[in-house]
Amino acid sequence: MTGYGRAAVELPNKKVTIEIKSLNSKQFDLFTRLPALYREKEIALRNSLSQRLERGKVDLSMTVEVIAKDVTSRIDHHVVKQYHQELTGLASEMGIPVPQDWFPVLMRLPDTMRQDTEELYDAEWKQVEGAINQAVRELISFRQREGEMLQNVLTEKITRIRALLADIEPFEAERIEKVKNRLHEELNNLEGIEYDKNRFEQEIIYYLEKLDVNEEKTRLSHHL
């Protein structure tokens, strides 16, 4: 099932926003975009989400917005250079022009800015984890609403097919009789042709058995 959930939590010096979405897939496949500070929790997140969501192609992203004025931040030169190298190569490969001004593009990408002496404390992670759980609950609720909608559509179609299946019964005997009469007429129109009427009746019975659709009706009812 497809679904979407979003939640945010404001910490003393930053705002963390979580977005999670899923697409249909037979297996559980998780793709994450986590800030460096939270990557140590990725395995635990994977285990938790696989149990709660069970299946689907799931995309989880977390973005951090620094809101405290007294937080010392620095540009991660290595990350910025790596982004620049990859984007330049991708632009060349795709044959598209590179940006005239790189910095607005690069500085919006994850992990280009780092806070000095960053350390993940349990209290902070509990708040972030609570926001993740809220986003997951929204996604599950989204899935449930979509599932109910699909159930209503399928129930409507099944009910309609059942009604049509019942409607064909009065026509079955009439159809067989029409086929039998048409074959008689065709033979009678062949002048100078003699045939064994007993053998003809046997062939008619065999042929009409091929026209019987009871097996197909039973199978269709079972599927419904």
Side-chain angles (χ1 to χ4, degrees), residues 20-210:
I20 182 169
K21 58 185 178 181
S22 68
L23 299 174
N24 291 328
S25 178
K26 293 182 179 179
Q27 308 297 328
F28 178 76
D29 183 17
L30 176 64
F31 177 74
T32 62
R33 288 190 296 273
L34 306 179
L37 180 62
Y38 303 115
R39 285 178 190 160
E40 64 182 78
K41 301 295 185 180
E42 182 173 355
I43 294 178
L45 269 177
R46 286 183 176 274
N47 292 335
S48 174
L49 292 176
S50 65
Q51 293 176 6
R52 298 176 65 183
L53 302 180
E54 297 184 2
R55 58 180 291 180
K57 187 175 181 181
V58 181
D59 189 334
L60 171 68
S61 65
M62 297 173 59
T63 57
V64 177
E65 178 186 355
V66 178
I67 56 178
K69 296 181 180 180
D70 58 347
V71 175
T72 303
S73 301
R74 62 183 176 84
I75 298 174
D76 191 318
H77 292 210
H78 174 73
V79 172
V80 174
K81 289 178 181 178
Q82 187 175 14
Y83 277 138
H84 180 269
Q85 181 180 357
E86 291 182 3
L87 290 174
T88 302
L90 183 61
S92 176
E93 181 182 336
M94 299 178 65
I96 58 177
V98 298
Q100 296 297 316
D101 187 357
W102 274 105
F103 280 100
V105 176
L106 294 174
M107 299 311 296
R108 285 196 298 266
L109 297 173
D111 300 331
T112 55
M113 296 293 296
R114 290 183 179 269
Q115 296 178 26
D116 289 338
T117 64
E118 276 192 313
E119 184 176 350
L120 180 60
Y121 295 100
D122 290 341
E124 176 179 335
W125 174 245
K126 285 183 179 179
Q127 294 185 69
V128 173
E129 189 176 30
I132 294 173
N133 290 333
Q134 180 182 342
V136 171
R137 287 193 295 270
E138 286 189 7
L139 183 143
I140 293 174
S141 178
F142 192 110
R143 281 180 162 186
Q144 289 172 338
R145 292 194 300 272
E146 183 187 41
E148 291 170 359
M149 179 189 67
L150 291 174
Q151 182 181 12
N152 292 336
V153 171
L154 289 173
T155 301
E156 178 185 348
K157 300 300 183 183
I158 289 172
T159 301
R160 179 59 177 159
I161 293 172
R162 278 205 178 100
L164 292 173
L165 184 58
D167 288 345
I168 69 173
E169 292 184 6
F171 298 98
E172 289 186 79
E174 180 183 350
R175 170 173 171 260
I176 292 175
E177 192 63 28
K178 282 183 177 180
V179 171
K180 186 176 179 180
N181 292 335
R182 181 171 56 80
L183 291 174
H184 274 294
E185 291 175 2
E186 293 292 339
L187 277 175
N188 292 333
N189 289 334
L190 297 175
E191 297 181 358
I193 299 296
E194 296 292 334
Y195 63 92
D196 187 333
K197 288 184 172 52
N198 291 329
R199 178 61 186 275
F200 175 72
E201 290 297 329
Q202 293 176 1
E203 293 294 337
I204 285 290
I205 293 173
Y206 175 78
Y207 180 66
L208 294 181
E209 286 178 351
K210 298 294 183 181

